[in-house]
Amino acid sequence: MEIKSKLLGEQVVDPETIITFPHGIPGFDGYTRFKLFHQEGSDIVFWLQSLDSDEILFSVAHPAQFNINYNFTLTDEEEATLEAEDSGDDLIIMIILHKNEEGDDDASQPTIKGSIKSPLVINSKTRIGIQKILAQVEQSITLTETSNEIDVSEA
């Protein structure tokens, strides 16, 4: 199938690679079908293009690229929606990146502000996704010095 994207232009999409968000993404509830594209020239950024609107495109990345590790439990309803098996090995976590606003220190660099509490969870086997809204995020940051390692944790 062929699609058009404001940013990516015309693309050919294999229907077997379409990711469905049955409940949409909050704020974009009516848009349920997406395709994940890798950003050319970047090892970090992917594009999540809506197949329902050529104007809806999210830049996303694996949280590990920003030293973010999630540890949360899916509800029974979320597991059923994702058709997740007990091991969860097929689940991929992604975070939505935001462009820095004009006047920020470096407007060309993407940020993760706000999206850290709402990661995308995608079942790579069934290609079904949800956005998990977390009430609280425990942050753990490890800083490394040349002579020793410092662990800074916040709840």
Side-chain angles (χ1 to χ4, degrees):
M1 98 188 254
E2 271 191 36
I3 66 158
K4 286 187 179 183
S5 166
K6 289 267 186 191
L7 180 70
L8 304 172
E10 291 187 16
Q11 299 288 324
V12 176
V13 174
D14 178 354
E16 295 292 317
T17 64
I18 295 172
I19 301 168
T20 303
F21 287 81
H23 308 294
I25 294 173
F28 300 90
D29 301 341
Y31 307 97
T32 58
R33 299 176 317 131
F34 290 84
K35 168 67 177 156
L36 191 64
F37 294 95
H38 194 269
Q39 180 178 331
E40 192 173 317
S42 173
D43 294 333
I44 298 173
V45 178
F46 294 83
W47 297 110
L48 189 62
Q49 173 67 55
S50 169
L51 302 183
D52 301 315
S53 172
D54 64 346
E55 295 184 8
I56 298 182
L57 175 83
F58 300 102
S59 53
V60 297
H62 294 286
Q65 294 289 339
F66 299 92
N67 295 321
I68 298 170
N69 297 303
Y70 286 101
N71 186 12
F72 57 80
T73 304
L74 295 171
T75 65
D76 291 342
E77 181 182 334
E78 291 167 335
E79 284 184 10
T81 298
L82 289 167
E83 299 177 14
E85 296 181 10
D86 293 333
S87 68
D89 290 340
D90 296 324
L91 299 181
I92 298 169
I93 311 279
M94 307 279 301
I95 51 176
I96 296 175
L97 304 175
H98 301 275
K99 184 177 180 183
N100 279 327
E101 299 297 323
E102 292 295 326
D104 283 351
D105 292 340
D106 189 351
S108 67
Q109 293 297 314
T111 78
I112 55 172
K113 62 183 169 183
S115 67
I116 194 168
K117 286 189 174 184
S118 51
L120 301 175
V121 182
I122 301 169
N123 185 331
S124 63
K125 189 175 181 181
T126 62
R127 292 171 314 283
I128 297 173
I130 63 168
Q131 186 170 29
K132 174 75 173 170
I133 308 300
L134 303 172
Q136 182 176 333
V137 176
E138 183 177 315
Q139 298 176 349
S140 178
I141 303 168
T142 302
L143 304 172
T144 306
E145 291 186 15
T146 53
S147 60
N148 56 10
E149 191 172 284
I150 302 167
D151 185 23
V152 179
S153 297
E154 292 180 22

